[in-house]
Amino acid sequence: MSSGELAQRVGITAANLSILKTGKAKAIRFSTLEALCKALDCQPGDLLEYRPDP
């Protein structure tokens, strides 16, 4: 699936999806996380990773 199609399915802009993909997002709404998981048929832990500040 293309990034554009995923953004459309989730209901966010391609720019916001890019921010999420590059790890530059400071936060994510639970509704967006839920929509991503539904579109990708995955669990939140498949998408999120904890990285402590250096």
Side-chain angles (χ1 to χ4, degrees), residues 1-8 17 21:
M1 163 182 341
S2 70
S3 293
E5 183 181 347
L6 179 59
Q8 188 175 23
L17 181 60
K21 284 174 47 178

Side-chain angles (χ1 to χ4, degrees), residues 14-48:
N16 282 341
L17 181 60
S18 177
I19 289 169
L20 291 171
K21 284 174 47 178
T22 59
K24 295 181 180 177
K26 299 286 183 186
I28 183 171
R29 291 183 176 158
F30 285 122
S31 59
T32 302
L33 181 59
E34 179 182 15
L36 282 167
C37 288
K38 283 182 181 178
L40 298 172
D41 190 28
C42 67
Q43 294 294 312
D46 298 328
L47 302 176
L48 301 175

